[in-house]
Amino acid sequence: MKVFMEISYSEGQFALFILYFTLKRQEACSIGMPLNFCPECGSKLLTNFKFCPSCGQKLPFLLDTAQVDSSTSSPAAPQISVTDGSATAQLQSSPWPTQAELIQHTGDGPASSVSGLPRSPLRRTQKLVKVTESASPLLASAAPLLAVSPKSAAAAKNKSKRMKRASAPKPLEEGEQVTDTAGVQWKLVKLLSQSDTEIFYGVQQVTTRACSADYEHILKLASKDGKIFNEQNFLQRAAKPTSVKKWKKDKQMDFLGLPSCDGFGLHADSYRFLILPNMGQTLQSFMPEGEVLSEKAVLQLSCRILDVLEYIHENEYVHADIHAENIYIDFTKPSQVYLAGYCHAFRYCPSGKHVEYREGSRTPHEGAVEFISVDSHKGAGPSRRSDLQALGYCMLSWLAGALPWTSLTDCPAKVMAEKERYMTDVQGLRTQCFGRKKMAGAVQVYLSQVMSLQYTEKPDYQQLHSGLLGALHKLGASLDQPIDLRV
């Protein structure tokens, strides 16, 4: 697209304007207007990216993000309006910056004047300035000076509303078929569960012999623009079967509870779906509110989940939403535990570089409020310690039946305050949860270790795992034994 701006100037005024425009451009760049990096995880971007390739977040359109309060723009700056692919510079009565404005931007004293500027080689009194696509970075950097088209302004205004409208799809009829991106057809056999944001079905691959009511896969259906895209992105990057197989071989493991993505696609141009293995039933379905688990079951669950966390952490991601609804137990193989639900997965270490701690860089209180870390409450990017702390809160809840802030989940700020209160007082947290009852010593040691971790610190997974596994062995149990959810 070619853009033309027609400007009248005298020679001195033109030179002064060029300097002023350059400074304004640098000022725009200093506040991060060009989208060279993802605002969520900081990953480097190309200009045509619509989604971040690292964290999966949808990227705002440049003109949508370039709106600046008119009070921050100098009244002397040229006002440029964009209509139908062309730009016309409309100069006001005083189109050039004053000497005071120039001094403010350059930092020079009164000696800075037009006469001290380099003489422009352009001598004509009128010029037609032609800006082509090759010069688009200059135009993009001048975004604070652009009057955004009504269409772009409306899109920016309604962005948050669109995100809020990403609700659960309407249930599909059992027997309906969907086709994934590989052309494989899947038949919806049974509606399993439905929440405010997603629906689960038992599905089977459509073949000439697919006539039974059994299913070996589940289909997760959610809004196209919802968090499910983030989960798809994670599964494609970090849960590749070849990578998982190599990890298990290197670690001499017989099982790792990380689900694979066996297919994905769009349905009705409004919904996105994932095809996952049938992992059994959620832990939450076996735990009515207030119910507790045995110490043996808690240690078995925690060891299995810790194995998964170590793997995804080594692959640059954190889970960021660990709780019983995202934990599955396959009772055909009752020693196997899966950690699923990666809608909030965050790439904390893109290309091996840990993200910086920045409160407010993400949506605060995102995830299950009762169990997320203080970092997530504050809107900082979750890190490895976030996952380990969340697992610690789960262990306490499974053993005690409730946490000190369980009744406060309707007010996330109060939950965060309670968690901060006990960050350095694990003994007080134990007393608040159990009173005079005895708590498993291994759980208390685990909590002390993970609560003291620094934001970028790499946990000692071997030490954490050995402590929990050692306590399990003292109870005469092992990870190979079926998990008994009866107290």
Side-chain angles (χ1 to χ4, degrees):
M1 178 183 70
K2 297 183 178 180
V3 182
F4 296 87
M5 295 183 294
E6 188 170 353
I7 304 176
S8 300
Y9 54 82
S10 64
E11 180 177 322
Q13 286 176 325
F14 179 82
L16 185 59
F17 172 74
I18 291 298
L19 176 60
Y20 180 77
F21 184 84
T22 302
L23 293 170
K24 276 293 185 179
R25 176 188 176 187
Q26 294 174 351
E27 180 180 333
C29 292
S30 69
I31 62 174
M33 297 308 299
L35 293 177
N36 296 327
F37 298 92
C38 174
E40 285 286 343
C41 66
S43 299
K44 190 173 182 180
L45 304 173
L46 297 180
T47 55
N48 61 342
F49 279 4
K50 295 183 179 179
F51 293 91
C52 174
S54 298
C55 66
Q57 293 294 324
K58 186 175 182 180
L59 301 172
F61 184 55
L62 179 60
L63 289 180
D64 291 347
T65 60
Q67 299 183 63
V68 179
D69 192 337
S70 58
S71 61
T72 63
S73 299
S74 170
Q79 301 299 313
I80 305 175
S81 60
V82 180
T83 56
D84 300 327
S86 63
T88 304
Q90 300 175 346
L91 304 182
Q92 297 179 353
S93 57
S94 178
W96 310 113
T98 63
Q99 184 174 1
E101 288 176 322
L102 184 61
I103 292 173
Q104 179 183 359
H105 282 277
T106 60
D108 295 336
S112 298
S113 63
V114 175
S115 60
L117 293 173
R119 182 177 179 86
S120 171
L122 304 177
R123 297 181 178 277
R124 288 162 52 185
T125 57
Q126 289 189 345
K127 289 290 179 184
L128 184 65
V129 183
K130 182 177 180 181
V131 185
T132 63
E133 287 182 355
S134 61
S136 59
L138 177 62
L139 187 59
S141 299
L145 301 179
L146 294 176
V148 183
S149 67
K151 182 177 180 180
S152 299
K157 182 178 180 180
N158 295 324
K159 180 182 176 183
S160 60
K161 294 182 180 179
R162 289 201 306 270
M163 296 300 292
K164 292 180 180 179
R165 285 199 296 266
S167 56
K170 296 179 181 179
L172 305 179
E173 294 290 336
E174 292 182 359
E176 190 170 344
Q177 296 181 8
V178 298
T179 305
D180 64 23
T181 55
V184 179
Q185 291 183 315
W186 302 87
K187 179 182 177 181
L188 307 184
V189 176
K190 182 180 179 181
L191 175 62
L192 302 177
S193 64
Q194 181 176 0
S195 69
D196 293 338
T197 57
E198 56 198 21
I199 304 178
F200 288 88
Y201 295 88
V203 296
Q204 59 184 207
Q205 188 173 338
V206 176
T207 64
T208 54
R209 292 178 294 177
C211 57
S212 70
D214 296 333
Y215 53 89
E216 296 182 353
H217 292 84
I218 60 176
L219 179 144
K220 182 175 183 178
L221 186 71
S223 172
K224 175 182 175 181
D225 297 325
K227 288 286 186 178
I228 191 173
F229 177 79
N230 194 47
E231 181 168 11
Q232 175 186 321
N233 189 54
F234 164 81
L235 292 172
Q236 288 180 274
R237 282 178 168 270
K240 298 176 181 177
T242 53
S243 300
V244 173
K245 183 178 180 180
K246 183 178 184 303
W247 176 270
K248 291 194 297 182
K249 182 179 179 180
D250 293 343
K251 296 288 184 177
Q252 297 181 343
M253 302 170 64
D254 60 342
F255 173 78
L256 182 67
L258 180 66
S260 59
C261 183
D262 296 329
F264 59 89
L266 299 177
H267 179 69
D269 200 33
S270 299
Y271 309 134
R272 190 181 301 274
F273 66 86
L274 303 176
I275 304 295
L276 306 170
N278 184 6
M279 298 173 286
Q281 295 177 264
T282 67
L283 177 60
Q284 188 63 48
S285 65
F286 295 95
M287 294 180 61
E289 186 175 356
E291 289 292 324
V292 297
L293 299 177
S294 67
E295 181 179 342
K296 171 187 170 182
V298 170
L299 292 173
Q300 287 175 311
L301 290 166
S302 302
C303 286
R304 290 298 195 188
I305 296 169
L306 190 58
D307 285 340
V308 180
L309 293 181
E310 181 179 5
Y311 171 83
I312 66 174
H313 292 175
E314 288 300 306
N315 282 271
E316 303 182 347
Y317 279 88
V318 292
H319 186 283
D321 193 25
I322 301 170
H323 58 100
E325 199 67 52
N326 284 331
I327 297 171
Y328 287 76
I329 300 176
D330 183 359
F331 282 98
T332 62
K333 300 175 181 178
S335 65
Q336 297 186 355
V337 179
Y338 289 89
L339 179 61
Y342 292 88
C343 286
H344 296 286
F346 176 68
R347 195 178 183 193
Y348 77 96
C349 194
S351 302
K353 183 178 180 181
H354 200 294
V355 298
E356 297 180 1
Y357 181 84
R358 290 187 302 160
E359 294 182 8
S361 61
R362 291 171 57 86
T363 304
H365 315 297
E366 203 169 44
V369 173
E370 188 173 0
F371 303 105
I372 59 175
S373 68
V374 173
D375 293 336
S376 295
H377 277 292
K378 294 182 177 181
S383 65
R384 291 168 288 195
R385 73 175 183 183
S386 300
D387 277 350
L388 298 179
Q389 290 172 6
L391 177 57
Y393 294 143
C394 287
M395 294 164 66
L396 281 179
S397 178
W398 298 337
L399 288 169
L403 296 168
W405 49 82
T406 298
S407 61
L408 304 175
T409 52
D410 289 339
C411 184
K414 292 183 179 180
V415 174
M416 180 182 70
E418 285 293 294
K419 290 178 182 177
E420 285 187 301
R421 173 185 172 189
Y422 291 111
M423 283 288 291
T424 56
D425 186 13
V426 174
Q427 181 62 32
L429 179 58
R430 185 208 71 79
T431 302
Q432 188 67 24
C433 289
F434 294 92
R436 296 182 179 179
K437 295 180 181 180
K438 183 181 179 181
M439 183 181 81
V443 176
Q444 184 165 340
V445 171
Y446 173 91
L447 287 170
S448 298
Q449 291 173 335
V450 301
M451 293 300 175
S452 62
L453 288 171
Q454 299 301 308
Y455 182 69
T456 61
E457 182 179 353
K458 181 178 181 178
D460 189 337
Y461 299 98
Q462 180 64 35
Q463 184 181 29
L464 294 172
H465 195 277
S466 297
L468 298 176
L469 188 59
L472 181 62
H473 289 163
K474 287 182 180 180
L475 296 175
S478 70
L479 289 179
D480 296 327
Q481 293 178 351
I483 297 175
D484 187 358
L485 298 180
R486 295 174 297 179
V487 179

mmCIF file of all heavy atoms in Angstrom, residues 250-277:
data_model
loop_
_atom_site.group_PDB
_atom_site.id
_atom_site.type_symbol
_atom_site.label_atom_id
_atom_site.label_comp_id
_atom_site.label_asym_id
_atom_site.label_seq_id
_atom_site.Cartn_x
_atom_site.Cartn_y
_atom_site.Cartn_z
ATOM 1 N N ASP A 250 15.489 -41.888 28.975
ATOM 2 C CA ASP A 250 16.630 -41.299 29.676
ATOM 3 C C ASP A 250 16.467 -41.372 31.191
ATOM 4 O O ASP A 250 17.438 -41.559 31.928
ATOM 5 C CB ASP A 250 16.820 -39.842 29.247
ATOM 6 C CG ASP A 250 17.238 -39.714 27.789
ATOM 7 O OD1 ASP A 250 17.692 -40.730 27.219
ATOM 8 O OD2 ASP A 250 17.085 -38.609 27.219
ATOM 9 N N LYS A 251 15.232 -41.224 31.660
ATOM 10 C CA LYS A 251 14.966 -41.233 33.099
ATOM 11 C C LYS A 251 14.615 -42.624 33.622
ATOM 12 O O LYS A 251 14.353 -42.795 34.812
ATOM 13 C CB LYS A 251 13.800 -40.284 33.412
ATOM 14 C CG LYS A 251 14.080 -38.821 33.118
ATOM 15 C CD LYS A 251 15.044 -38.231 34.116
ATOM 16 C CE LYS A 251 15.251 -36.744 33.875
ATOM 17 N NZ LYS A 251 16.144 -36.123 34.886
ATOM 18 N N GLN A 252 14.595 -43.591 32.714
ATOM 19 C CA GLN A 252 14.260 -44.976 33.060
ATOM 20 C C GLN A 252 12.889 -45.044 33.739
ATOM 21 O O GLN A 252 12.719 -45.650 34.798
ATOM 22 C CB GLN A 252 15.343 -45.584 33.955
ATOM 23 C CG GLN A 252 16.703 -45.673 33.279
ATOM 24 C CD GLN A 252 17.761 -46.307 34.162
ATOM 25 O OE1 GLN A 252 17.595 -46.417 35.368
ATOM 26 N NE2 GLN A 252 18.858 -46.734 33.551
ATOM 27 N N MET A 253 11.909 -44.407 33.106
ATOM 28 C CA MET A 253 10.546 -44.370 33.616
ATOM 29 C C MET A 253 9.657 -45.256 32.752
ATOM 30 O O MET A 253 9.837 -45.322 31.532
ATOM 31 C CB MET A 253 10.010 -42.931 33.603
ATOM 32 C CG MET A 253 10.837 -41.948 34.404
ATOM 33 S SD MET A 253 10.320 -40.236 34.121
ATOM 34 C CE MET A 253 8.647 -40.291 34.776
ATOM 35 N N ASP A 254 8.705 -45.912 33.390
ATOM 36 C CA ASP A 254 7.767 -46.730 32.634
ATOM 37 C C ASP A 254 6.510 -45.956 32.259
ATOM 38 O O ASP A 254 5.740 -46.385 31.395
ATOM 39 C CB ASP A 254 7.380 -47.975 33.438
ATOM 40 C CG ASP A 254 6.725 -47.618 34.775
ATOM 41 O OD1 ASP A 254 6.890 -46.460 35.221
ATOM 42 O OD2 ASP A 254 6.076 -48.493 35.375
ATOM 43 N N PHE A 255 6.292 -44.800 32.902
ATOM 44 C CA PHE A 255 5.071 -44.035 32.654
ATOM 45 C C PHE A 255 5.305 -42.559 32.968
ATOM 46 O O PHE A 255 6.015 -42.214 33.913
ATOM 47 C CB PHE A 255 3.916 -44.571 33.519
ATOM 48 C CG PHE A 255 2.663 -43.734 33.447
ATOM 49 C CD1 PHE A 255 1.816 -43.822 32.349
ATOM 50 C CD2 PHE A 255 2.345 -42.854 34.471
ATOM 51 C CE1 PHE A 255 0.668 -43.041 32.277
ATOM 52 C CE2 PHE A 255 1.201 -42.073 34.407
ATOM 53 C CZ PHE A 255 0.363 -42.168 33.312
ATOM 54 N N LEU A 256 4.709 -41.692 32.132
ATOM 55 C CA LEU A 256 4.692 -40.257 32.388
ATOM 56 C C LEU A 256 3.299 -39.752 32.052
ATOM 57 O O LEU A 256 2.842 -39.888 30.916
ATOM 58 C CB LEU A 256 5.738 -39.527 31.538
ATOM 59 C CG LEU A 256 5.847 -38.015 31.765
ATOM 60 C CD1 LEU A 256 6.394 -37.722 33.166
ATOM 61 C CD2 LEU A 256 6.728 -37.353 30.714
ATOM 62 N N GLY A 257 2.626 -39.178 33.021
ATOM 63 C CA GLY A 257 1.225 -38.810 32.867
ATOM 64 C C GLY A 257 0.984 -37.510 32.133
ATOM 65 O O GLY A 257 0.291 -36.610 32.639
ATOM 66 N N LEU A 258 1.539 -37.404 30.933
ATOM 67 C CA LEU A 258 1.318 -36.234 30.088
ATOM 68 C C LEU A 258 0.509 -36.669 28.872
ATOM 69 O O LEU A 258 0.972 -37.486 28.079
ATOM 70 C CB LEU A 258 2.650 -35.635 29.645
ATOM 71 C CG LEU A 258 2.583 -34.402 28.742
ATOM 72 C CD1 LEU A 258 1.981 -33.219 29.485
ATOM 73 C CD2 LEU A 258 3.975 -34.037 28.226
ATOM 74 N N PRO A 259 -0.708 -36.147 28.700
ATOM 75 C CA PRO A 259 -1.532 -36.584 27.561
ATOM 76 C C PRO A 259 -0.949 -36.106 26.238
ATOM 77 O O PRO A 259 -0.340 -35.039 26.157
ATOM 78 C CB PRO A 259 -2.888 -35.929 27.836
ATOM 79 C CG PRO A 259 -2.571 -34.730 28.672
ATOM 80 C CD PRO A 259 -1.390 -35.129 29.518
ATOM 81 N N SER A 260 -1.162 -36.896 25.212
ATOM 82 C CA SER A 260 -0.751 -36.498 23.861
ATOM 83 C C SER A 260 -1.942 -35.889 23.136
ATOM 84 O O SER A 260 -3.093 -36.093 23.524
ATOM 85 C CB SER A 260 -0.240 -37.710 23.080
ATOM 86 O OG SER A 260 -1.259 -38.699 22.990
ATOM 87 N N CYS A 261 -1.659 -35.131 22.099
ATOM 88 C CA CYS A 261 -2.719 -34.547 21.268
ATOM 89 C C CYS A 261 -2.823 -35.405 20.007
ATOM 90 O O CYS A 261 -1.956 -35.357 19.140
ATOM 91 C CB CYS A 261 -2.393 -33.104 20.918
ATOM 92 S SG CYS A 261 -3.677 -32.274 19.964
ATOM 93 N N ASP A 262 -3.899 -36.203 19.919
ATOM 94 C CA ASP A 262 -4.057 -37.122 18.799
ATOM 95 C C ASP A 262 -4.819 -36.508 17.626
ATOM 96 O O ASP A 262 -5.063 -37.182 16.619
ATOM 97 C CB ASP A 262 -4.769 -38.388 19.272
ATOM 98 C CG ASP A 262 -3.951 -39.158 20.294
ATOM 99 O OD1 ASP A 262 -2.707 -39.100 20.205
ATOM 100 O OD2 ASP A 262 -4.534 -39.795 21.183
ATOM 101 N N GLY A 263 -5.206 -35.258 17.750
ATOM 102 C CA GLY A 263 -5.899 -34.566 16.666
ATOM 103 C C GLY A 263 -6.450 -33.239 17.160
ATOM 104 O O GLY A 263 -6.649 -33.041 18.364
ATOM 105 N N PHE A 264 -6.683 -32.328 16.237
ATOM 106 C CA PHE A 264 -7.280 -31.039 16.586
ATOM 107 C C PHE A 264 -7.903 -30.442 15.339
ATOM 108 O O PHE A 264 -7.597 -30.836 14.214
ATOM 109 C CB PHE A 264 -6.238 -30.082 17.181
ATOM 110 C CG PHE A 264 -5.075 -29.793 16.268
ATOM 111 C CD1 PHE A 264 -5.111 -28.743 15.363
ATOM 112 C CD2 PHE A 264 -3.931 -30.579 16.320
ATOM 113 C CE1 PHE A 264 -4.040 -28.488 14.524
ATOM 114 C CE2 PHE A 264 -2.853 -30.323 15.487
ATOM 115 C CZ PHE A 264 -2.914 -29.281 14.582
ATOM 116 N N GLY A 265 -8.776 -29.470 15.538
ATOM 117 C CA GLY A 265 -9.417 -28.841 14.385
ATOM 118 C C GLY A 265 -10.457 -27.825 14.813
ATOM 119 O O GLY A 265 -10.621 -27.525 16.008
ATOM 120 N N LEU A 266 -11.163 -27.284 13.822
ATOM 121 C CA LEU A 266 -12.231 -26.318 14.047
ATOM 122 C C LEU A 266 -13.558 -26.955 13.661
ATOM 123 O O LEU A 266 -13.625 -27.794 12.764
ATOM 124 C CB LEU A 266 -12.000 -25.048 13.226
ATOM 125 C CG LEU A 266 -10.729 -24.250 13.516
ATOM 126 C CD1 LEU A 266 -10.630 -23.063 12.568
ATOM 127 C CD2 LEU A 266 -10.701 -23.774 14.958
ATOM 128 N N HIS A 267 -14.618 -26.519 14.350
ATOM 129 C CA HIS A 267 -15.953 -27.020 14.038
ATOM 130 C C HIS A 267 -16.911 -25.841 13.920
ATOM 131 O O HIS A 267 -16.939 -24.956 14.787
ATOM 132 C CB HIS A 267 -16.438 -27.974 15.131
ATOM 133 C CG HIS A 267 -17.820 -28.510 14.882
ATOM 134 N ND1 HIS A 267 -18.096 -29.393 13.855
ATOM 135 C CD2 HIS A 267 -19.004 -28.265 15.503
ATOM 136 C CE1 HIS A 267 -19.382 -29.687 13.878
ATOM 137 N NE2 HIS A 267 -19.958 -29.014 14.861
ATOM 138 N N ALA A 268 -17.670 -25.809 12.844
ATOM 139 C CA ALA A 268 -18.683 -24.764 12.595
ATOM 140 C C ALA A 268 -18.059 -23.371 12.596
ATOM 141 O O ALA A 268 -18.751 -22.377 12.843
ATOM 142 C CB ALA A 268 -19.805 -24.849 13.632
ATOM 143 N N ASP A 269 -16.754 -23.291 12.361
ATOM 144 C CA ASP A 269 -16.035 -22.023 12.260
ATOM 145 C C ASP A 269 -16.144 -21.183 13.533
ATOM 146 O O ASP A 269 -15.849 -19.997 13.527
ATOM 147 C CB ASP A 269 -16.542 -21.202 11.062
ATOM 148 C CG ASP A 269 -15.527 -20.145 10.636
ATOM 149 O OD1 ASP A 269 -14.325 -20.412 10.766
ATOM 150 O OD2 ASP A 269 -15.947 -19.053 10.203
ATOM 151 N N SER A 270 -16.599 -21.786 14.621
ATOM 152 C CA SER A 270 -16.749 -21.046 15.875
ATOM 153 C C SER A 270 -16.073 -21.751 17.042
ATOM 154 O O SER A 270 -15.736 -21.117 18.035
ATOM 155 C CB SER A 270 -18.236 -20.852 16.211
ATOM 156 O OG SER A 270 -18.896 -20.119 15.210
ATOM 157 N N TYR A 271 -15.890 -23.058 16.924
ATOM 158 C CA TYR A 271 -15.373 -23.848 18.027
ATOM 159 C C TYR A 271 -14.066 -24.525 17.630
ATOM 160 O O TYR A 271 -13.841 -24.860 16.478
ATOM 161 C CB TYR A 271 -16.387 -24.923 18.451
ATOM 162 C CG TYR A 271 -17.772 -24.382 18.698
ATOM 163 C CD1 TYR A 271 -18.891 -25.031 18.179
ATOM 164 C CD2 TYR A 271 -17.969 -23.218 19.433
ATOM 165 C CE1 TYR A 271 -20.167 -24.542 18.395
ATOM 166 C CE2 TYR A 271 -19.237 -22.714 19.660
ATOM 167 C CZ TYR A 271 -20.333 -23.377 19.137
ATOM 168 O OH TYR A 271 -21.592 -22.889 19.348
ATOM 169 N N ARG A 272 -13.238 -24.740 18.621
ATOM 170 C CA ARG A 272 -11.979 -25.461 18.436
ATOM 171 C C ARG A 272 -12.051 -26.731 19.289
ATOM 172 O O ARG A 272 -12.601 -26.711 20.396
ATOM 173 C CB ARG A 272 -10.804 -24.587 18.879
ATOM 174 C CG ARG A 272 -9.432 -25.138 18.499
ATOM 175 C CD ARG A 272 -8.329 -24.213 19.004
ATOM 176 N NE ARG A 272 -8.457 -22.878 18.462
ATOM 177 C CZ ARG A 272 -7.966 -22.480 17.291
ATOM 178 N NH1 ARG A 272 -7.322 -23.362 16.535
ATOM 179 N NH2 ARG A 272 -8.110 -21.250 16.894
ATOM 180 N N PHE A 273 -11.498 -27.824 18.782
ATOM 181 C CA PHE A 273 -11.519 -29.052 19.560
ATOM 182 C C PHE A 273 -10.160 -29.732 19.554
ATOM 183 O O PHE A 273 -9.348 -29.554 18.637
ATOM 184 C CB PHE A 273 -12.597 -30.025 19.038
ATOM 185 C CG PHE A 273 -12.354 -30.559 17.650
ATOM 186 C CD1 PHE A 273 -11.570 -31.686 17.444
ATOM 187 C CD2 PHE A 273 -12.920 -29.944 16.537
ATOM 188 C CE1 PHE A 273 -11.343 -32.184 16.174
ATOM 189 C CE2 PHE A 273 -12.712 -30.440 15.255
ATOM 190 C CZ PHE A 273 -11.914 -31.566 15.070
ATOM 191 N N LEU A 274 -9.918 -30.502 20.604
ATOM 192 C CA LEU A 274 -8.720 -31.314 20.742
ATOM 193 C C LEU A 274 -9.138 -32.764 20.941
ATOM 194 O O LEU A 274 -10.132 -33.038 21.620
ATOM 195 C CB LEU A 274 -7.880 -30.860 21.941
ATOM 196 C CG LEU A 274 -7.410 -29.409 21.977
ATOM 197 C CD1 LEU A 274 -6.683 -29.136 23.292
ATOM 198 C CD2 LEU A 274 -6.504 -29.106 20.804
ATOM 199 N N ILE A 275 -8.388 -33.686 20.378
ATOM 200 C CA ILE A 275 -8.599 -35.112 20.578
ATOM 201 C C ILE A 275 -7.494 -35.617 21.512
ATOM 202 O O ILE A 275 -6.317 -35.552 21.182
ATOM 203 C CB ILE A 275 -8.570 -35.897 19.254
ATOM 204 C CG1 ILE A 275 -9.607 -35.332 18.272
ATOM 205 C CG2 ILE A 275 -8.813 -37.370 19.509
ATOM 206 C CD1 ILE A 275 -11.039 -35.498 18.714
ATOM 207 N N LEU A 276 -7.894 -36.114 22.685
ATOM 208 C CA LEU A 276 -6.954 -36.570 23.704
ATOM 209 C C LEU A 276 -7.224 -38.033 24.021
ATOM 210 O O LEU A 276 -8.340 -38.533 23.795
ATOM 211 C CB LEU A 276 -7.112 -35.725 24.977
ATOM 212 C CG LEU A 276 -7.014 -34.206 24.808
ATOM 213 C CD1 LEU A 276 -7.443 -33.513 26.090
ATOM 214 C CD2 LEU A 276 -5.598 -33.799 24.436
ATOM 215 N N PRO A 277 -6.250 -38.747 24.567
ATOM 216 C CA PRO A 277 -6.511 -40.134 24.972
ATOM 217 C C PRO A 277 -7.497 -40.172 26.134
ATOM 218 O O PRO A 277 -7.607 -39.215 26.902
ATOM 219 C CB PRO A 277 -5.126 -40.644 25.379
ATOM 220 C CG PRO A 277 -4.354 -39.423 25.742
ATOM 221 C CD PRO A 277 -4.847 -38.346 24.827
#
